[in-house]
Amino acid sequence: MSERELEDKNIYLERMAKPLAEKLRVVHFIPAGAKVVLDVGCADGTVTCAMAEIFPNIEFLGIDLDGEFIEKARKKAKEKNLDNVKFEKIYLRELLARKQRYSAVFFISVLHEFYTYGEGISSVLKALSDAHELLEENGEIIIRDMILNEYTKNTDFRAESILNKIRSGNTDQKYIDDFESAFGEIDNIYKLNHFLLKYFYIENWERECKEHYVPVTFEQYQDIFSLLGMDLQYMHSYLIEFLRGKWVEDFGLTGEELDGLRSTGFVVARKK
C-alpha cells in the first residue's frame, strides 16, 4: 500500500469516528428483545464496539471488505474486553448461506458507498434485499445516511442566493467547478445541499468529490421497502449542529436558508 492510500484510509477512519455520539442515535431503533445484530460496513468497528458496550446482552457481528479495518476492529474489541462482538471480512451476500438470522441489520453511513463504488442503485437494492433475507421475523433494517427528499431535485427555492453566498465565502472556486464537473450545474437544492455536505473535505478531495453522498432519496427507500413487503417504521431527516454552525460561519447562511437543508436521515423498516 502506498503512503497516499494509507493516508486516505486514516483520514476516512478519523472522519467516520468523529460523530460517534450522533451515529449512536441508531441504537434507539434496536428491536426490543434483540439477540443478534449485524453491522454492515463496520470499518474499524468504532460504532459496533460502542453498541456492544451499551448492549452487553446482544451479540454483534460487524462485517467489512477491508481486511485492515477488520483487524483494527478486532483489536479495538479486545482492548475493550468485549466478548459480545465479532468482526469478519466477508461479503454481505455470503452470510445468506449460513443459518444465522438477525434481529436487526444496520447500514450506518455506508449505503451511499454501495452506490458509488458498486453498480449504483442496483447495489443498494441487492444489499437491502440480502439484509431482508437475513432478518428474522419482525427484524428491522436500520439505515442512517445522508438522505434527501425527491422534491429537492425539482426546486431552486433560495438556491441561487445561497450559492452566491458560497461563491463569496470561504470556498475556493475550484471545488465548485470540480463538483459541477462530477454532478452537473448546482441549479437546485438537491445539488446545493450535496455540495455543502462535502466542500470542506479538501484533504481527501480527489476521492470525496466523486463520491455520491446523497444518491438514494427517502421516496426511493420507501419504494424499495414496499417492494420487499416490509413495514416502514420511521423516516426522519435533520441538520446536525456542527454543520449548521459551520455553514453559518463559512457563508453567513440565515435560519430560513438553513431550514431547507439536511445532513442526516434515518429510515427504519420491519420484516413482516
Side-chain angles (χ1 to χ4, degrees), residues 32-188:
K35 295 180 179 179
V36 188
V37 168
L38 174 64
D39 184 15
V40 181
C42 65
D44 68 347
T46 297
V47 177
T48 325
C49 284
M51 291 195 293
E53 287 183 288
I54 296 170
F55 297 97
N57 295 322
I58 297 178
E59 296 293 324
F60 289 85
L61 173 63
I63 64 171
D64 202 283
L65 296 181
D66 191 304
E68 291 184 33
F69 288 177
I70 291 298
E71 287 305 312
K72 288 178 181 290
R74 289 170 176 165
K75 182 179 179 181
K76 196 182 299 287
K78 185 176 181 180
E79 290 172 349
K80 293 176 176 290
N81 294 315
L82 294 172
D83 57 8
N84 64 324
V85 60
K86 296 180 180 178
F87 295 97
E88 189 172 352
K89 179 184 176 182
I90 189 171
Y91 281 95
L92 174 63
R93 174 149 290 193
E94 292 181 74
L95 295 178
L96 292 172
R98 302 179 182 179
K99 293 182 179 180
Q100 180 67 61
R101 291 299 179 260
Y102 299 88
S103 307
V105 178
F106 282 101
F107 293 91
I108 304 172
S109 301
V110 72
L111 280 175
H112 71 276
E113 295 186 0
F114 275 65
Y115 184 101
T116 301
Y117 304 111
E119 297 294 329
I121 193 67
S122 65
S123 293
V124 176
L125 281 165
K126 283 187 287 186
L128 293 175
S129 297
D130 292 345
H132 174 257
E133 290 188 40
L134 287 166
L135 287 174
E136 60 190 26
E137 186 178 353
N138 294 319
E140 293 182 352
I141 291 175
I142 301 158
I143 300 168
R144 178 204 182 269
D145 215 318
M146 295 170 281
I147 310 172
L148 303 179
N149 286 103
E150 191 70 29
Y151 81 86
T152 60
K153 297 179 179 179
N154 302 308
T155 180
D156 59 3
F157 183 60
R158 294 200 177 102
E160 185 176 356
S161 63
I162 295 174
L163 184 57
N164 286 337
K165 287 186 175 183
I166 292 172
R167 291 186 187 280
S168 60
N170 187 26
T171 299
D172 192 310
Q173 181 64 36
K174 163 186 166 48
Y175 301 114
I176 298 175
D177 293 342
D178 287 350
F179 179 90
E180 291 188 326
S181 293
F183 299 102
E185 182 184 356
I186 302 175
D187 57 0
N188 56 44

Side-chain angles (χ1 to χ4, degrees), residues 165-266:
K165 287 186 175 183
I166 292 172
R167 291 186 187 280
S168 60
N170 187 26
T171 299
D172 192 310
Q173 181 64 36
K174 163 186 166 48
Y175 301 114
I176 298 175
D177 293 342
D178 287 350
F179 179 90
E180 291 188 326
S181 293
F183 299 102
E185 182 184 356
I186 302 175
D187 57 0
N188 56 44
I189 289 297
Y190 180 84
K191 291 177 185 175
L192 178 68
N193 203 152
H194 187 187
F195 176 77
L196 282 168
L197 289 170
K198 68 171 51 181
Y199 73 93
F200 49 92
Y201 292 126
I202 58 176
E203 75 280 3
N204 199 22
W205 181 248
E206 185 176 348
R207 175 187 174 92
E208 297 295 340
C209 181
K210 297 175 184 176
E211 188 170 303
H212 201 324
Y213 281 7
V214 288
V216 187
T217 63
F218 279 111
E219 290 81 359
Q220 288 174 312
Y221 279 123
Q222 191 169 4
D223 288 343
I224 290 170
F225 288 127
S226 177
L227 286 169
L228 291 173
M230 300 184 72
D231 288 330
L232 193 65
Q233 299 294 301
Y234 185 79
M235 287 199 312
H236 180 61
S237 65
Y238 56 97
L239 178 59
I240 63 173
E241 287 305 312
F242 165 73
L243 288 176
R244 180 181 296 274
K246 184 166 183 60
W247 296 348
V248 169
E249 180 181 355
D250 286 352
F251 309 120
L253 299 192
T254 67
E256 289 185 342
E257 290 168 333
L258 292 167
D259 281 345
L261 303 173
R262 297 290 184 268
S263 65
T264 307
F266 282 91

